[in-house]
Amino acid sequence: MKRSIAVFILLILFPLAMLALDNLFYVSFASRALIYAIAATSLNLVLGYGGMISFGHAAFVGTGAYIASIFIVEGVTSAWIGWPGAIAVSALAAWLIGAMSLRTRGVYFIMITLAFAQMMFYLVNSMKAYGGDEGLTLPSRASLGVVDLGNEIVFYYVVLVLLGATLFALHRLAQARFGRVVVAIRENEARAEAIGFPVYRYKLACFVIAGAVAGLAGALLASHGKYVNPNVLHWVQSGTLMIMVIMGGVGRLWGGVFGACVLLGLEHLIADYPLGWLAALAPNYQQHAGLGVGVVLLVIVLFAPQGIAGLIARKRDA
């Protein structure tokens, strides 16, 4: 708990430090990282706690992004309407997809979630009224009334509050009876079913909750960039979210946060800042930032199989 409070204090002070240094770009970059942290945390609920390897989680992020964007384009700029609408539609999409996907197991579950995500990708790609494959540009960010989300620092703090609420809700959910049953199903589904738990219902509820939180992340992502395109639903995005969870720590409360911040930070560092020694070895290394990220991920998997959060916990216990 003390470490969590310390991390949030640092996150609260971060934009003030950037303002003093007159470098608001990193405030916007941090907002994006925290939004992805919410999305990765939602996947961590399904993957880490529920043991369901979903390769179509980006579908719910994209659904939330498009629903929130359509609200703004149609003149409904209030976040009090657009964001709950995005959450509700993403939850509905998760319920429909989960109701069919969860009747399968193993690699079949992975493939069917991937198939549904790609179907939604091509569906959005064909929506010419809302940009089609060119995407949809928003006239402004969503509005929270007296709160000016056009201000990067204000938007950052709103995202930070929502991330804190997401982590607190996940912690409470994991400690509640529901969370313990979901973990029990992950550990031994046959035994949980033999005891009398409605396994399918618990897994579906977990899937829907994760989809709803992913929808919130999508709505925030659309407002952050004031632009959304079909690539946000692509399977590559699902893979990126999964990498964030693995890198941060599967089944760890802070896994999604650490994974999102480290992955996006590495991509930015490698792609935008020339490293002298690396440039000497490979002059065009900045065009292949993914290779460097892959090497870091490989090192983490080999030497910290429980991710960054697991490594920190192990050092603390030691």
Side-chain angles (χ1 to χ4, degrees), residues 5-30:
I5 294 173
V7 171
F8 269 102
I9 290 175
L10 290 175
L11 291 175
I12 290 170
L13 295 176
F14 176 77
L16 302 179
M18 291 300 102
L19 182 62
L21 295 173
D22 194 24
N23 199 341
L24 290 180
F25 165 77
Y26 286 104
V27 177
S28 177
F29 178 81

Side-chain angles (χ1 to χ4, degrees), residues 33 40 43 111 137 148 160 164 181 203 293 295 304 314 318:
L43 176 59
M111 294 308 296
T137 302
D148 180 19
L160 182 60
V181 172
K203 292 174 70 173
V293 173
V295 171
R314 189 170 62 188

Side-chain angles (χ1 to χ4, degrees), residues 221-283:
L221 194 62
S223 280
H224 176 258
K226 292 188 288 186
Y227 174 75
V228 62
N229 67 36
N231 288 335
V232 74
L233 295 98
H234 200 266
W235 68 268
V236 173
Q237 287 294 320
S238 295
T240 300
L241 293 175
M242 193 167 291
I243 290 172
M244 289 176 180
V245 174
I246 295 171
M247 185 178 286
V250 178
R252 299 281 180 172
L253 179 64
W254 284 86
V257 180
F258 289 149
C261 293
V262 170
L263 179 62
L264 294 179
L266 278 173
E267 289 180 346
H268 174 66
L269 179 66
I270 295 173
D272 295 342
Y273 288 92
L275 304 177
W277 60 273
L278 192 54
L281 294 174

Side-chain angles (χ1 to χ4, degrees), residues 103-171:
R103 298 185 184 279
T104 61
R105 297 288 185 276
V107 68
Y108 301 104
F109 176 78
I110 298 173
M111 294 308 296
I112 197 170
T113 54
L114 173 61
F116 275 117
Q118 286 303 99
M119 286 169 58
M120 294 181 68
F121 166 76
Y122 287 113
L123 174 64
V124 171
N125 208 54
S126 65
M127 293 168 53
K128 300 302 181 183
Y130 295 108
D133 58 352
E134 294 181 359
L136 186 61
T137 302
L138 309 183
S140 64
R141 286 178 175 170
S143 171
L144 275 175
V146 295
V147 179
D148 180 19
L149 294 183
N151 184 301
E152 290 296 343
I153 294 179
V154 173
F155 186 80
Y156 171 90
Y157 281 124
V158 169
V159 174
L160 182 60
V161 168
L162 292 174
L163 173 61
T166 300
L167 292 174
F168 178 76
L170 177 59
H171 173 70

Side-chain angles (χ1 to χ4, degrees), residues 172-226:
R172 296 296 298 170
L173 194 67
Q175 298 299 318
R177 181 177 183 270
F178 176 85
R180 295 182 184 277
V181 172
V182 168
V183 172
I185 293 171
R186 179 197 69 191
E187 294 298 323
N188 195 322
E189 184 173 333
R191 179 174 293 181
E193 193 168 13
I195 292 172
F197 290 117
V199 170
Y200 175 79
R201 292 181 185 178
Y202 271 95
K203 292 174 70 173
L204 181 59
C206 180
F207 199 82
V208 171
I209 293 170
V213 177
L216 171 62
L220 292 170
L221 194 62
S223 280
H224 176 258
K226 292 188 288 186

